[in-house]
Amino acid sequence: MEGDIFSGTGNESQLGVDGKLIQTFQKSFVQVQKILDQNRVLINEINQNQESKLPVNLTRNVGLIRELNNNVKRVVDLYGDLSNSFGKSMDASSEAESGGTTRSDGKKRGRSG
């Protein structure tokens, strides 16, 4: 199932979804899943270290918690990138449907003719 997030719907072209956008989503979701899987392992190790109460393990938790925090930041960044990509795609899609073009100052131009 991994990598097939959007496959099988059969109506990608009907929805006006760009193939590149789908590839971006798939790639990002796979990256997010890998990070979340890694976080699960980190959390288990942190919990085991905490339960052991051994000073060496508690000290090791400091680095593990930093790694966990960095992973969470990466997931947030990936979701932010996905949101931006989706927003841009929706803007481009609605732009194509309206037939207008956007000027360099961001204002719409109607189709002439």
Side-chain angles (χ1 to χ4, degrees), residues 8 13 18 25 31 59 75-76 78 85 92 94 99-100 105-106 111:
S13 61
D18 183 33
F25 273 31
Q31 287 177 323
T59 301
V75 168
V76 168
L78 285 167
S85 294
S94 65
D105 62 1
R111 193 185 302 173

Side-chain angles (χ1 to χ4, degrees), residues 15-64:
L15 297 173
V17 177
D18 183 33
K20 185 176 180 181
L21 179 66
I22 291 173
Q23 288 177 342
T24 300
F25 273 31
Q26 287 176 329
K27 180 181 174 188
S28 294
F29 284 133
V30 168
Q31 287 177 323
V32 165
Q33 188 59 53
K34 286 180 182 179
I35 294 169
L36 294 176
D37 290 342
Q38 184 182 11
N39 284 357
R40 184 179 307 111
V41 172
L42 287 171
I43 290 167
N44 287 336
E45 187 174 348
I46 290 166
N47 286 336
Q48 289 172 358
N49 289 345
Q50 190 69 28
E51 289 173 5
S52 77
K53 297 187 188 325
L54 294 173
V56 67
N57 288 345
L58 296 175
T59 301
R60 177 161 165 67
N61 273 359
V62 173
L64 294 174

Side-chain angles (χ1 to χ4, degrees), residues 7 24 31 34-35 40 54-55 63 73 81 84 86 88 107:
S7 65
T24 300
Q31 287 177 323
K34 286 180 182 179
I35 294 169
R40 184 179 307 111
L54 294 173
K73 289 175 188 174
D81 292 345
N84 288 338
F86 185 74
K88 288 177 184 176
K107 295 181 181 175

Side-chain angles (χ1 to χ4, degrees), residues 1 3-10 12 22 26:
M1 184 179 286
D4 290 344
I5 296 165
F6 292 102
S7 65
T9 60
E12 288 89 354
I22 291 173
Q26 287 176 329

